[in-house]
Amino acid sequence: LVLNLGGGNKRYGFGQEVNLDIADFPQVDVIADAHQLPFKNGSFDLVVANAFLEHVRDPQRVVGEIYRVLRKGGMVYANTPFLQRYHCYPQDYSRWTLEGLRCLFGQFKTIKMGVSAGPWVSFVEFNIQILKLISRERKIIFYPLSAMLLIVLMTLRPFFLLIPRRKEYVLANAFYYLGEK
């Protein structure tokens, strides 16, 4: 049984998947606040928190709830932002480093963690967001300009391949964490 936290309309295709969100979307099974999950202890085999934890006021409490609802040997997968733009739905509170994730999930046994979106994604997103902000203020057409910017940025992509994999975390866009209860 899989619990998908904050999935909105996104489902992962697991056989038995419970999609929980604070809002009513067509694909949501349970409307609830993840700070107090409405499930019994040890109910789930896997909890997925993809691009979710930055949107909760008290991530430590939510991770405690994840731990509570997982069965012994159950797994948690989280994908969290590092160098990402502010994106509020409904709010945007936090960013994590690898060390921060290790701390946040301290009660779990870490299976694997690392970069899920690297420096190239951070670079492109940063540039596109600057263009979007300028375009909105100046009433400039955003999409044609962003397409031109992407073409220019693509010429720089080979330079990002020179960054050693072991150093991608310095400018990563996002990190993932996989742990076991």
Side-chain angles (χ1 to χ4, degrees):
L1 186 59
V2 176
L3 176 59
N4 178 16
L5 292 176
N9 276 323
K10 183 170 178 88
R11 287 194 174 274
Y12 293 101
F14 295 108
Q16 293 183 302
E17 183 176 342
V18 176
N19 191 4
L20 179 140
D21 205 295
I22 61 166
D24 189 12
F25 294 103
Q27 294 294 319
V28 169
D29 302 309
V30 176
I31 300 170
D33 185 334
H35 291 88
Q36 191 170 3
L37 293 172
F39 305 109
K40 293 180 184 176
N41 296 353
S43 299
F44 293 93
D45 301 297
L46 171 66
V47 175
V48 176
N50 188 21
F52 170 73
L53 289 170
E54 69 268 25
H55 301 290
V56 300
R57 279 186 318 280
D58 188 350
Q60 194 68 54
R61 181 172 172 190
V62 171
V63 170
E65 281 291 282
I66 291 170
Y67 190 85
R68 181 184 67 77
V69 301
L70 275 172
R71 67 166 174 79
K72 187 172 174 26
M75 308 284 280
V76 60
Y77 173 82
N79 191 33
T80 62
F82 179 51
L83 297 179
Q84 285 187 12
R85 66 180 171 78
Y86 174 78
H87 57 282
C88 60
Y89 174 77
Q91 295 298 328
D92 189 352
Y93 297 103
S94 306
R95 299 292 183 268
W96 287 272
T97 60
L98 287 172
E99 293 83 6
L101 278 181
R102 194 179 324 276
C103 245
L104 182 63
F105 288 96
Q107 58 201 0
F108 289 88
K109 175 185 171 193
T110 300
I111 303 300
K112 194 171 182 183
M113 59 190 300
V115 173
S116 56
W120 169 248
V121 176
S122 298
F123 180 71
V124 170
E125 184 178 89
F126 179 80
N127 282 280
I128 292 294
Q129 288 306 315
I130 286 174
L131 182 59
K132 190 181 281 187
L133 292 171
I134 292 169
S135 295
R136 285 186 181 154
E137 288 298 315
R138 304 281 182 244
K139 308 294 185 215
I140 300 169
I141 302 169
F142 169 69
Y143 291 106
L145 289 175
S146 64
M148 288 187 291
L149 176 63
L150 275 175
I151 290 167
V152 171
L153 294 178
M154 289 303 287
T155 64
L156 299 174
R157 186 152 195 238
F159 292 106
F160 285 84
L161 298 175
L162 299 174
I163 298 172
R165 301 246 328 128
R166 70 183 189 287
K167 294 290 186 179
E168 285 183 324
Y169 71 92
V170 174
L171 294 171
N173 183 267
F175 295 117
Y176 71 91
Y177 178 88
L178 179 64
E180 180 181 356
K181 179 175 178 181

